[in-house]
Amino acid sequence: MPATEHPIGEPAAHHDGRISRKSLLHGVAALGAAPLLLGGGVALARDRTAAGAAPELTPDCHDGDEPTVEQTEGPYFKPGSPLRTSLVTSSTPGVRLTVSGYVFGLACLPVSGVLLDFWQADDNGAYDNGGYRFRGHQFSDARGAFSLTTVVPGLYPGRTRHLHVKLQAPGGRVVTTQLYFPNEPRNSTDTIFDARLLMNVRQAGPAREGTYDFVLDVRQTPTTPPSTPPPTTAPPAGTWAAGTSYRVGDTVTYGGSSYRCLQSHTAYPGWEPPKVPALWQLS
């Protein structure tokens, strides 16, 4: 949805006058343990600019919002990325970029345990197809939040600046999309560019900070948060089973093949070994 600006000090409102759950969640996250005082002048905008300026907001999530736009995978995706939230070291060249946000379902409730697999070009516009530089996956936390530390990607012929990401909610299908930077000259000539996937980006000293919130096609009841199956003890070997807690090195069989666990996790329907190569390696 198009972003709506609200005066600092006022909560973002739902289109029918109610305050959206997403805005409330942003406010709680920003205020920490501070009380939520509706109508008491508490600013719920997650992104702020200079004092006195209007905040920059990612699109408000209202009940019934459409899921995040999907886009092409492109030629450079590589399965099996490492589990990490930072793609850089102290010596990595490029302008530092932090991308953060939330993952919501169709009722604007956060979705935890979402697999987010990011990949991008380096600051020279090159992809590492032999290794895993500027590639990594992570999982949204209990609040549906994620955060990635990387660099601003460089340009290569035919494309504007962008980040790639695949998302998969527990039991859901894989969603592939891209994130874009505002005010890029090539946005107007890139045939893949979609303004609905623009991040909010601001300068933070020598670095840049971007925010974007994803909405997945996850059915939710507003009064009932999504639940996760209780974990069970994983056997050292056996047939893959949803609801089982697996550890690094555990082996399972699925579909007549053997797989080795790469990352500790609790299995969900939809995360069968062939579908999540970041978690399982074919033995």
Side-chain angles (χ1 to χ4, degrees), residues 194-269:
D194 191 318
R196 291 171 293 180
L197 297 170
L198 278 169
M199 295 183 288
N200 288 323
V201 180
R202 63 186 177 187
Q203 200 70 31
R208 302 178 77 183
E209 295 177 345
T211 56
Y212 192 86
D213 298 331
F214 298 98
V215 178
L216 297 183
D217 188 10
V218 174
R219 305 293 171 180
Q220 299 171 318
T221 301
T223 57
T224 305
S227 60
T228 58
T232 59
T233 302
T239 302
W240 181 91
T244 304
S245 293
Y246 291 106
R247 297 165 296 182
V248 175
D250 286 346
T251 59
V252 299
T253 57
Y254 184 86
S257 298
S258 178
Y259 295 86
R260 182 174 64 87
C261 181
L262 300 176
Q263 307 288 345
S264 297
H265 67 284
T266 298
Y268 294 92

Coordinates of all heavy atoms in Angstrom, one line a residue, residues 194-269:
D194 N 9.8 -2.2 -9.1 CA 8.4 -2.0 -8.6 C 8.4 -1.1 -7.4 O 9.1 -1.5 -6.4 CB 7.8 -3.4 -8.3 CG 6.3 -3.3 -8.1 OD1 5.8 -2.3 -7.4 OD2 5.5 -4.2 -8.5
A195 N 7.8 0.0 -7.5 CA 7.8 1.0 -6.4 C 7.2 0.5 -5.1 O 7.5 1.0 -4.0 CB 7.1 2.3 -6.8
R196 N 6.4 -0.6 -5.2 CA 5.8 -1.1 -4.0 C 6.9 -1.8 -3.1 O 6.6 -2.2 -2.0 CB 4.7 -2.1 -4.3 CG 3.4 -1.5 -4.9 CD 2.5 -2.5 -5.4 NE 3.0 -3.2 -6.6 CZ 2.4 -4.1 -7.3 NH1 1.1 -4.5 -6.9 NH2 2.9 -4.7 -8.3
L197 N 8.0 -2.1 -3.7 CA 9.1 -2.7 -3.0 C 10.2 -1.8 -2.5 O 11.3 -2.2 -2.2 CB 9.7 -3.9 -3.8 CG 8.7 -5.0 -4.2 CD1 9.3 -5.9 -5.2 CD2 8.3 -5.8 -2.9
L198 N 9.9 -0.5 -2.5 CA 10.9 0.5 -2.1 C 11.1 0.4 -0.6 O 10.1 0.5 0.2 CB 10.5 1.9 -2.5 CG 10.8 2.4 -3.9 CD1 10.0 3.7 -4.2 CD2 12.3 2.5 -4.1
M199 N 12.3 0.4 -0.1 CA 12.6 0.5 1.3 C 12.5 2.0 1.7 O 12.7 2.9 0.8 CB 14.0 0.0 1.6 CG 14.2 -1.5 1.4 SD 15.9 -2.0 1.9 CE 16.8 -1.3 0.5
N200 N 12.4 2.3 2.9 CA 12.7 3.6 3.5 C 14.1 3.6 3.8 O 14.6 2.7 4.6 CB 11.8 3.9 4.7 CG 10.4 4.1 4.4 OD1 10.1 4.7 3.4 ND2 9.5 3.6 5.2
V201 N 14.9 4.5 3.3 CA 16.3 4.5 3.5 C 16.7 5.9 4.0 O 16.3 6.9 3.4 CB 17.1 4.2 2.3 CG1 18.6 4.2 2.5 CG2 16.7 2.8 1.8
R202 N 17.6 6.0 5.1 CA 18.0 7.3 5.6 C 19.5 7.2 5.9 O 20.0 6.1 6.1 CB 17.3 7.7 6.8 CG 17.4 6.7 8.0 CD 16.5 7.1 9.1 NE 16.6 6.2 10.2 CZ 15.8 6.3 11.3 NH1 14.9 7.2 11.4 NH2 15.9 5.4 12.3
Q203 N 20.2 8.3 5.9 CA 21.6 8.4 6.2 C 21.8 8.3 7.7 O 21.0 8.9 8.5 CB 22.2 9.7 5.7 CG 23.7 9.6 5.5 CD 24.2 8.7 4.4 OE1 23.5 8.5 3.4 NE2 25.3 8.1 4.6
A204 N 22.7 7.5 8.2 CA 23.1 7.4 9.6 C 24.6 7.6 9.8 O 25.3 6.6 9.8 CB 22.6 6.1 10.2
G205 N 25.0 8.8 9.8 CA 26.5 9.0 9.8 C 27.0 8.6 8.4 O 26.5 8.9 7.4
P206 N 28.1 7.8 8.4 CA 28.6 7.3 7.1 C 27.9 6.1 6.6 O 28.1 5.7 5.5 CB 30.1 6.9 7.5 CG 30.0 6.6 8.9 CD 29.0 7.5 9.6
A207 N 27.0 5.6 7.4 CA 26.2 4.4 7.0 C 24.8 4.8 6.5 O 24.4 5.9 6.6 CB 26.2 3.4 8.1
R208 N 24.1 3.8 6.1 CA 22.7 4.0 5.7 C 21.8 2.9 6.4 O 22.3 1.8 6.7 CB 22.5 3.9 4.2 CG 23.3 4.9 3.4 CD 23.2 4.7 1.9 NE 21.9 5.3 1.5 CZ 21.5 5.2 0.2 NH1 22.2 4.6 -0.7 NH2 20.4 5.8 -0.2
E209 N 20.6 3.3 6.7 CA 19.6 2.4 7.4 C 18.4 2.3 6.5 O 17.8 3.3 6.1 CB 19.2 3.0 8.8 CG 20.4 3.0 9.7 CD 20.0 3.6 11.1 OE1 18.9 4.3 11.1 OE2 20.7 3.5 12.0
G210 N 17.9 1.1 6.3 CA 16.7 0.8 5.5 C 15.7 0.0 6.3 O 16.1 -0.8 7.1
T211 N 14.5 0.2 6.0 CA 13.4 -0.5 6.7 C 12.4 -1.0 5.6 O 12.1 -0.3 4.7 CB 12.7 0.3 7.7 OG1 12.2 1.5 7.2 CG2 13.6 0.6 8.9
Y212 N 11.9 -2.2 5.9 CA 10.8 -2.7 5.0 C 10.1 -3.8 5.8 O 10.7 -4.6 6.5 CB 11.3 -3.3 3.7 CG 10.2 -3.6 2.7 CD1 9.8 -2.6 1.9 CD2 9.6 -4.8 2.7 CE1 8.8 -2.8 1.0 CE2 8.6 -5.0 1.8 CZ 8.2 -4.0 0.9 OH 7.1 -4.3 0.1
D213 N 8.8 -3.8 5.7 CA 7.9 -4.8 6.3 C 7.3 -5.7 5.3 O 6.6 -5.2 4.4 CB 6.9 -4.2 7.2 CG 7.5 -3.4 8.3 OD1 8.6 -3.7 8.8 OD2 6.8 -2.4 8.8
F214 N 7.4 -7.0 5.4 CA 6.8 -8.0 4.5 C 5.4 -8.4 5.0 O 5.2 -8.5 6.2 CB 7.7 -9.2 4.4 CG 9.0 -8.9 3.8 CD1 10.2 -8.7 4.6 CD2 9.2 -8.8 2.4 CE1 11.4 -8.5 4.1 CE2 10.5 -8.5 1.9 CZ 11.6 -8.4 2.7
V215 N 4.5 -8.7 4.1 CA 3.2 -9.3 4.4 C 3.1 -10.6 3.6 O 3.2 -10.6 2.4 CB 2.0 -8.3 4.1 CG1 0.7 -9.0 4.4 CG2 2.1 -7.0 4.8
L216 N 3.0 -11.7 4.3 CA 2.9 -13.0 3.7 C 1.5 -13.5 3.7 O 0.6 -13.1 4.5 CB 3.8 -14.0 4.4 CG 5.3 -13.7 4.4 CD1 6.1 -14.8 5.1 CD2 5.8 -13.5 3.0
D217 N 1.2 -14.4 2.8 CA -0.2 -15.0 2.7 C -0.3 -16.0 3.7 O -0.4 -17.2 3.5 CB -0.3 -15.6 1.3 CG -1.8 -16.0 1.0 OD1 -2.7 -15.7 1.8 OD2 -2.0 -16.7 0.0
V218 N -0.4 -15.6 5.0 CA -0.5 -16.4 6.1 C -1.9 -16.1 6.8 O -2.1 -15.0 7.2 CB 0.6 -16.3 7.2 CG1 0.3 -17.1 8.4 CG2 1.9 -16.7 6.5
R219 N -2.8 -17.0 6.8 CA -4.1 -16.8 7.4 C -4.0 -16.7 8.9 O -3.3 -17.5 9.5 CB -5.1 -17.9 7.0 CG -5.2 -18.2 5.5 CD -5.8 -17.0 4.8 NE -5.7 -17.2 3.3 CZ -6.2 -16.3 2.5 NH1 -6.8 -15.2 2.9 NH2 -6.0 -16.5 1.2
Q220 N -4.6 -15.7 9.5 CA -4.5 -15.4 10.9 C -5.9 -15.0 11.4 O -6.7 -14.4 10.7 CB -3.5 -14.3 11.2 CG -2.1 -14.7 10.8 CD -1.1 -13.4 10.9 OE1 -1.5 -12.3 10.6 NE2 0.0 -13.7 11.5
T221 N -6.1 -15.3 12.7 CA -7.3 -14.8 13.4 C -6.8 -13.6 14.3 O -5.9 -13.9 15.1 CB -8.0 -15.9 14.3 OG1 -8.4 -16.9 13.4 CG2 -9.2 -15.3 15.0
P222 N -7.3 -12.4 14.1 CA -6.7 -11.3 14.9 C -6.6 -11.5 16.4 O -5.7 -11.0 17.0 CB -7.7 -10.2 14.6 CG -8.3 -10.5 13.2 CD -8.4 -12.0 13.2
T223 N -7.5 -12.3 17.0 CA -7.5 -12.5 18.4 C -6.6 -13.7 18.9 O -6.4 -13.9 20.0 CB -8.9 -12.6 19.0 OG1 -9.5 -13.7 18.4 CG2 -9.7 -11.4 18.8
T224 N -6.2 -14.4 17.9 CA -5.4 -15.7 18.2 C -4.1 -15.6 17.5 O -4.0 -15.8 16.3 CB -6.2 -16.9 17.7 OG1 -7.5 -16.9 18.3 CG2 -5.5 -18.2 18.2
P225 N -3.0 -15.4 18.2 CA -1.7 -15.4 17.5 C -1.3 -16.8 17.0 O -1.8 -17.8 17.5 CB -0.7 -15.0 18.7 CG -1.4 -15.4 19.9 CD -2.9 -15.2 19.7
P226 N -0.5 -16.8 16.0 CA -0.1 -18.1 15.4 C 0.6 -19.0 16.4 O 1.4 -18.5 17.3 CB 0.8 -17.7 14.2 CG 1.3 -16.4 14.6 CD 0.2 -15.7 15.3
S227 N 0.4 -20.2 16.4 CA 1.0 -21.1 17.3 C 2.0 -22.0 16.6 O 2.0 -22.2 15.4 CB 0.0 -22.0 18.0 OG -0.7 -22.8 17.1
T228 N 3.0 -22.6 17.3 CA 3.9 -23.5 16.8 C 3.8 -24.8 17.4 O 3.4 -24.9 18.6 CB 5.4 -23.0 17.0 OG1 5.6 -22.8 18.4 CG2 5.6 -21.7 16.3
P229 N 4.1 -25.9 16.7 CA 3.9 -27.2 17.3 C 4.9 -27.4 18.4 O 6.1 -26.9 18.3 CB 4.2 -28.2 16.1 CG 5.0 -27.4 15.2 CD 4.5 -26.0 15.3
P230 N 4.6 -28.2 19.5 CA 5.6 -28.4 20.5 C 6.7 -29.3 20.0 O 6.5 -30.2 19.3 CB 4.7 -29.2 21.6 CG 3.6 -29.8 20.8 CD 3.3 -28.8 19.7
P231 N 7.9 -28.9 20.4 CA 9.1 -29.7 20.0 C 9.1 -31.1 20.7 O 8.6 -31.3 21.8 CB 10.3 -28.9 20.4 CG 9.8 -28.1 21.5 CD 8.3 -27.8 21.3
T232 N 9.7 -32.0 20.0 CA 9.9 -33.3 20.6 C 11.4 -33.6 20.4 O 12.2 -32.9 19.7 CB 9.1 -34.4 19.8 OG1 9.5 -34.4 18.4 CG2 7.7 -34.2 19.9
T233 N 11.9 -34.6 21.1 CA 13.3 -34.9 21.1 C 13.6 -35.6 19.7 O 13.0 -36.5 19.3 CB 13.7 -35.9 22.2 OG1 13.4 -35.3 23.4 CG2 15.2 -36.2 22.2
A234 N 14.7 -35.1 19.1 CA 15.0 -35.6 17.8 C 15.9 -36.9 17.9 O 16.8 -36.9 18.7 CB 15.8 -34.6 17.0
P235 N 15.6 -37.9 17.2 CA 16.4 -39.1 17.2 C 17.7 -38.8 16.4 O 17.7 -37.9 15.6 CB 15.6 -40.2 16.6 CG 14.7 -39.4 15.7 CD 14.4 -38.1 16.4
P236 N 18.8 -39.5 16.7 CA 20.0 -39.3 15.9 C 19.8 -39.6 14.4 O 20.5 -39.1 13.6 CB 21.0 -40.2 16.5 CG 20.2 -41.2 17.3 CD 19.0 -40.5 17.7
A237 N 18.9 -40.5 14.1 CA 18.6 -40.8 12.8 C 17.1 -41.3 12.7 O 16.6 -41.7 13.7 CB 19.5 -41.9 12.3
G238 N 16.5 -41.2 11.5 CA 15.2 -41.7 11.4 C 14.5 -40.9 10.2 O 15.1 -40.2 9.5
T239 N 13.2 -41.1 10.1 CA 12.4 -40.4 9.1 C 12.1 -39.0 9.5 O 11.7 -38.8 10.7 CB 11.1 -41.2 8.8 OG1 11.5 -42.6 8.4 CG2 10.3 -40.6 7.7
W240 N 12.3 -38.1 8.6 CA 12.0 -36.7 8.9 C 10.5 -36.6 9.4 O 9.6 -37.2 8.8 CB 12.2 -35.8 7.7 CG 11.9 -34.3 8.0 CD1 12.8 -33.4 8.4 CD2 10.6 -33.7 7.8 NE1 12.2 -32.2 8.5 CE2 10.9 -32.3 8.2 CE3 9.4 -34.1 7.5 CZ2 9.8 -31.4 8.2 CZ3 8.4 -33.1 7.4 CH2 8.6 -31.8 7.8
A241 N 10.3 -35.8 10.5 CA 8.9 -35.6 11.0 C 8.8 -34.2 11.5 O 9.6 -33.6 12.2 CB 8.7 -36.5 12.2
A242 N 7.6 -33.5 11.1 CA 7.3 -32.2 11.5 C 7.1 -32.2 13.1 O 6.7 -33.2 13.6 CB 6.0 -31.7 10.9
G243 N 7.5 -31.1 13.7 CA 7.4 -31.0 15.1 C 8.6 -31.5 15.9 O 8.7 -31.4 17.1
T244 N 9.6 -32.0 15.2 CA 10.8 -32.6 15.8 C 11.9 -31.5 15.9 O 12.1 -30.7 14.9 CB 11.3 -33.8 15.0 OG1 10.3 -34.8 14.8 CG2 12.5 -34.4 15.6
S245 N 12.6 -31.5 17.0 CA 13.7 -30.6 17.1 C 15.0 -31.3 16.7 O 15.4 -32.3 17.2 CB 13.9 -30.2 18.6 OG 12.8 -29.4 19.0
Y246 N 15.6 -30.8 15.6 CA 16.8 -31.4 15.1 C 18.0 -30.5 15.4 O 18.0 -29.3 15.6 CB 16.7 -31.4 13.5 CG 15.7 -32.4 13.1 CD1 14.4 -32.0 12.6 CD2 15.9 -33.8 13.2 CE1 13.5 -32.9 12.2 CE2 15.0 -34.7 12.8 CZ 13.7 -34.3 12.3 OH 12.8 -35.2 11.9
R247 N 19.2 -31.2 15.6 CA 20.4 -30.6 15.9 C 21.4 -30.7 14.7 O 21.2 -31.6 13.9 CB 21.0 -31.2 17.2 CG 20.2 -31.0 18.4 CD 20.6 -32.0 19.5 NE 20.4 -33.4 19.1 CZ 20.7 -34.4 19.9 NH1 21.2 -34.2 21.1 NH2 20.5 -35.6 19.5
V248 N 22.4 -29.9 14.7 CA 23.4 -30.0 13.7 C 24.0 -31.4 13.7 O 24.4 -31.9 14.7 CB 24.5 -28.9 13.9 CG1 25.6 -29.1 12.9 CG2 23.9 -27.5 13.8
G249 N 24.1 -32.0 12.5 CA 24.7 -33.3 12.4 C 23.7 -34.4 12.4 O 24.0 -35.6 12.0
D250 N 22.4 -34.2 12.9 CA 21.4 -35.2 12.8 C 21.2 -35.6 11.4 O 21.2 -34.8 10.5 CB 20.1 -34.7 13.4 CG 20.1 -34.6 14.9 OD1 21.1 -35.2 15.5 OD2 19.2 -34.0 15.5
T251 N 20.9 -36.9 11.2 CA 20.5 -37.4 9.8 C 19.1 -37.9 9.8 O 18.7 -38.5 10.8 CB 21.5 -38.5 9.4 OG1 21.5 -39.6 10.3 CG2 23.0 -38.0 9.3
V252 N 18.5 -37.7 8.7 CA 17.1 -38.2 8.5 C 17.0 -38.8 7.1 O 17.8 -38.5 6.2 CB 16.1 -37.1 8.7 CG1 16.1 -36.5 10.1 CG2 16.2 -36.0 7.6
T253 N 15.9 -39.5 6.9 CA 15.6 -39.9 5.5 C 14.3 -39.3 5.2 O 13.4 -39.1 6.0 CB 15.4 -41.5 5.4 OG1 14.4 -41.9 6.4 CG2 16.7 -42.1 5.7
Y254 N 14.1 -38.9 3.9 CA 12.9 -38.3 3.4 C 12.8 -38.6 1.9 O 13.8 -38.3 1.1 CB 12.9 -36.8 3.6 CG 11.6 -36.2 3.2 CD1 10.5 -36.1 4.0 CD2 11.5 -35.6 1.9 CE1 9.3 -35.6 3.6 CE2 10.3 -35.1 1.4 CZ 9.2 -35.0 2.3 OH 8.0 -34.5 1.9
G255 N 11.7 -39.2 1.5 CA 11.5 -39.5 0.1 C 12.6 -40.5 -0.5 O 12.9 -40.4 -1.7
G256 N 13.1 -41.3 0.4 CA 14.0 -42.3 0.0 C 15.5 -41.8 -0.1 O 16.4 -42.6 -0.4
S257 N 15.7 -40.5 0.3 CA 17.1 -40.0 0.4 C 17.5 -39.7 1.8 O 16.6 -39.5 2.7 CB 17.2 -38.7 -0.5 OG 16.9 -39.0 -1.9
S258 N 18.8 -39.6 2.0 CA 19.3 -39.3 3.3 C 19.8 -37.8 3.4 O 20.4 -37.3 2.4 CB 20.4 -40.2 3.7 OG 21.0 -39.9 5.0
Y259 N 19.5 -37.1 4.5 CA 19.9 -35.7 4.6 C 20.6 -35.5 6.0 O 20.2 -36.2 7.0 CB 18.6 -34.8 4.6 CG 18.0 -34.8 3.2 CD1 17.0 -35.8 2.9 CD2 18.3 -33.9 2.2 CE1 16.4 -35.8 1.7 CE2 17.6 -33.9 1.0 CZ 16.7 -34.9 0.7 OH 16.1 -34.9 -0.5
R260 N 21.5 -34.5 6.0 CA 22.2 -34.2 7.3 C 21.8 -32.8 7.6 O 21.8 -31.8 6.8 CB 23.7 -34.2 7.1 CG 24.5 -33.9 8.3 CD 26.0 -34.1 8.1 NE 26.5 -33.2 7.1 CZ 26.9 -32.0 7.4 NH1 26.9 -31.5 8.7 NH2 27.4 -31.2 6.5
C261 N 21.5 -32.5 8.9 CA 21.0 -31.2 9.4 C 22.2 -30.3 9.5 O 23.2 -30.6 10.0 CB 20.4 -31.4 10.8 SG 19.8 -29.9 11.5
L262 N 22.0 -29.1 8.9 CA 23.0 -28.0 8.9 C 22.8 -27.0 10.0 O 23.8 -26.4 10.4 CB 23.0 -27.3 7.5 CG 23.3 -28.2 6.3 CD1 23.2 -27.4 5.0 CD2 24.7 -28.8 6.4
Q263 N 21.6 -26.8 10.4 CA 21.3 -25.8 11.4 C 20.3 -26.3 12.4 O 19.3 -27.0 12.0 CB 20.7 -24.5 10.8 CG 21.6 -23.9 9.7 CD 22.9 -23.3 10.2 OE1 23.0 -23.0 11.4 NE2 23.8 -23.0 9.3
S264 N 20.5 -26.1 13.7 CA 19.5 -26.6 14.7 C 18.2 -25.9 14.5 O 18.2 -24.6 14.3 CB 20.0 -26.3 16.1 OG 21.2 -27.1 16.3
H265 N 17.1 -26.6 14.5 CA 15.8 -26.0 14.3 C 14.7 -27.0 14.7 O 14.9 -28.2 14.8 CB 15.6 -25.6 12.8 CG 15.5 -26.7 11.9 ND1 16.7 -27.5 11.5 CD2 14.5 -27.3 11.3 CE1 16.3 -28.4 10.7 NE2 15.0 -28.4 10.5
T266 N 13.5 -26.5 14.8 CA 12.3 -27.3 15.0 C 11.6 -27.4 13.6 O 11.3 -26.4 13.0 CB 11.3 -26.7 16.0 OG1 12.0 -26.7 17.3 CG2 10.1 -27.6 16.2
A267 N 11.3 -28.6 13.2 CA 10.8 -28.8 11.9 C 9.3 -28.4 11.8 O 8.5 -28.7 12.8 CB 10.9 -30.3 11.4
Y268 N 8.9 -27.8 10.7 CA 7.5 -27.5 10.5 C 7.0 -28.1 9.1 O 7.8 -28.4 8.3 CB 7.3 -26.0 10.3 CG 7.6 -25.2 11.6 CD1 8.8 -24.7 11.8 CD2 6.5 -24.9 12.5 CE1 9.1 -24.0 13.0 CE2 6.8 -24.2 13.6 CZ 8.0 -23.7 13.9 OH 8.3 -23.0 15.0
P269 N 5.7 -28.4 9.0 CA 5.2 -28.8 7.7 C 5.6 -27.7 6.7 O 5.4 -26.5 6.9 CB 3.7 -28.9 7.9 CG 3.5 -29.1 9.3 CD 4.6 -28.4 10.0

